[in-house]
Amino acid sequence: MAELQLHQHGKSRVRLGRTWREGSVHHFVEWMVHTMLESDMELAFTDGDNTGMTATDTQKNTVYVVAKKMSKRCSIEQYATALAQHFVHTYPRVSKAKVWVEQAPWKRVEVGGIPHDHGYAMCGTEVRTTHVTYDRAGKLDVQCGVKDLKVLKTTQSGYEGFLRDAFTLLPEVRDRVMATSVTATWKYAYQPMDYDATFATVRGALLDGVFGPPKGGVYSPSVQFTLYAMAQLALERAPQVESVFLNMPNLHFLPCAPVGSGFDDDVYVATSEPHGNIEAVVTRKDAKPHCRL
Ligand SMILES: O=c1[nH]c(=O)c2[nH]c(=O)[nH]c2[nH]1
């Protein structure tokens, strides 16, 4: 006999744009929203009975309704919280709402050094993310993050001392290009007053962990060491953060010696596949672990 275990239903990849007009200055965001509802809908799966079900089409429509209701400029965390709470408070069969939001990297343009009133350009790939859950007991969980944050440094990176056997071809190096696309998520011990400010603090810490000071930088003996240094800095600078998950592919730039010349740390074969893949969860001592592995 079969038994229904966890079940949920939601809408994926709902895209929206939202403008807030503050006089002549307009603020714009583009969001990709995913919803998922845990609800008392076993009979839909086992008996084909849809009574009381919040259709995924309704969930999609609600994404837009709640965006409209956010009358003041807000962060993705505030929006996702409002959306999750709406589902639980409106639909008695819903026991837990899960909402993911990703913010596209539109940035206000500057013309002659002056911020434009309503002009935006998309520069880069970096997407700000959040994952919010809210349940009928009123438990709210907000996780923040960033993905596709691509970083590269042309030196101050090496890789030495690793195991060598018959399968090892990689030479040891003290100078190489280090490039990665950072995915980070972090959990708070307590919710910050200002999600935007805390996001900026954590993002800044992650970048400083990679690059070090502007003159001279900081040496990376491995992606692993740099990942841990980044997470340590984030925990140090943002006291609200209790744990950080980081995933960092090692995007290899392979030494290239064009025909007739040698390799002088100047020309590389740029690759994306295959790539190394390094990840870890780093928690504040005595904090609850945060599982993304
Ligand atoms: O920083 C690195 N970590 C690794 O685990 C690894 N493995 C590898 O081939 N190159 C590298 N570089």
Side-chain angles (χ1 to χ4, degrees):
M1 270 300 287
E3 192 183 14
L4 186 65
Q5 293 289 327
L6 170 87
H7 61 88
Q8 52 188 355
H9 68 291
K11 202 67 146 189
S12 294
R13 301 183 67 79
V14 186
R15 286 178 66 197
L16 75 110
R18 176 73 164 95
T19 299
W20 289 278
R21 294 167 184 244
E22 295 177 1
S24 61
V25 178
H26 295 179
H27 300 273
F28 178 78
V29 290
E30 178 185 333
W31 293 337
M32 171 84 86
V33 183
H34 311 266
T35 64
M36 196 57 97
L37 302 181
E38 288 182 19
S39 61
D40 177 18
M41 286 309 308
E42 288 81 1
L43 291 182
F45 290 83
T46 57
D47 291 40
D49 179 356
N50 296 335
T51 308
M53 187 191 296
T54 309
T56 69
D57 190 65
T58 305
Q59 295 180 40
K60 179 257 294 168
N61 297 338
T62 309
V63 164
Y64 296 102
V65 172
V66 173
K68 174 117 183 156
K69 282 190 178 156
M70 305 304 287
S71 55
K72 292 209 178 72
R73 209 163 12 130
C74 71
S75 63
I76 50 175
E77 291 82 5
Q78 290 167 312
Y79 167 75
T81 300
L83 184 59
Q85 289 181 333
H86 169 92
F87 286 128
V88 172
H89 294 158
T90 308
Y91 302 109
R93 288 182 169 231
V94 173
S95 50
K96 186 173 192 176
K98 307 173 185 175
V99 175
W100 293 258
V101 184
E102 300 178 359
Q103 180 162 303
W106 291 111
K107 295 277 175 305
R108 186 180 299 283
V109 291
E110 292 198 353
V111 178
I114 300 167
H116 198 280
D117 274 357
H118 52 258
Y120 282 76
M122 195 176 286
C123 317
T125 55
E126 175 187 351
V127 169
R128 180 169 159 184
T129 63
T130 189
H131 174 40
V132 169
T133 63
Y134 181 70
D135 69 16
R136 192 147 290 285
K139 185 172 182 304
L140 176 69
D141 189 65
V142 182
Q143 190 174 295
C144 301
V146 66
K147 68 174 199 181
D148 300 334
L149 172 57
K150 295 197 177 178
V151 292
L152 176 150
K153 55 186 194 173
T154 56
T155 188
Q156 285 287 49
S157 164
Y159 185 56
E160 299 171 287
F162 49 88
L163 179 153
R164 301 207 76 86
D165 65 12
F167 297 157
T168 310
L169 298 174
L170 189 72
E172 304 199 4
V173 285
R174 275 197 73 75
D175 199 1
R176 63 175 182 172
V177 168
M178 182 177 143
T180 185
S181 177
V182 178
T183 297
T185 60
W186 53 94
K187 285 186 83 158
Y188 296 111
Y190 52 95
Q191 297 309 314
M193 297 290 286
D194 183 340
Y195 285 110
D196 292 344
T198 310
F199 177 85
T201 301
V202 174
R203 181 183 183 280
L206 297 177
L207 293 181
D208 287 354
V210 176
F211 297 122
K215 293 287 170 211
V218 65
Y219 184 69
S220 164
S222 65
V223 173
Q224 286 87 334
F225 183 87
T226 297
L227 180 155
Y228 188 65
M230 293 159 70
Q232 274 182 305
L233 266 189
L235 291 171
E236 200 177 295
R237 291 194 196 161
Q240 310 90 328
V241 173
E242 75 173 14
S243 70
V244 182
F245 163 82
L246 279 166
N247 171 273
M248 291 172 45
N250 189 5
L251 302 174
H252 307 294
F253 283 79
L254 306 175
C256 173
V259 177
S261 63
F263 175 63
D264 298 309
D265 286 312
D266 50 0
V267 179
Y268 306 87
V269 178
T271 68
S272 52
E273 292 169 1
H275 58 253
N277 201 14
I278 321 291
E279 60 184 24
V281 174
V282 183
T283 60
R284 202 175 284 289
K285 267 214 169 94
D286 306 324
K288 283 175 278 158
H290 152 195
C291 193
R292 261 294 308 264
L293 287 175

